[in-house]
Amino acid sequence: MDKQKKNMGAVAFLPLIVFLVCYVGCGITFTLLGADEPFGKFPRHVALLAGCAVALLLNRGIGV
């Protein structure tokens, strides 16, 4: 079985971008709303799971 490697290019950074947009975006939003400890309001692990989900969607050939 000859498996070809995918050349993802810049799309490979999409999970990182999703993580940063979720976490930093929510932190900035809560800062603008005047919340105490704005980056503590949105859990990091939720943003991490969103990034992992995007990474799994990018490579559907790998079984979970």
Side-chain angles (χ1 to χ4, degrees):
M1 290 185 189
D2 186 24
K3 293 187 178 184
Q4 295 179 348
K5 277 190 163 182
K6 288 185 180 180
N7 188 4
M8 299 295 284
V11 178
F13 288 106
L14 191 59
L16 177 66
I17 292 170
V18 168
F19 169 76
L20 289 174
V21 166
C22 286
Y23 187 65
V24 176
C26 286
I28 291 172
T29 302
F30 288 130
T31 300
L32 293 175
L33 292 175
D36 294 334
E37 297 182 20
F39 284 92
K41 299 288 184 194
F42 188 75
R44 286 181 291 275
H45 63 274
V46 175
L48 183 64
L49 287 175
C52 289
V54 170
L56 288 174
L57 289 174
L58 285 176
N59 194 358
R60 294 182 184 210
I62 295 176
V64 179

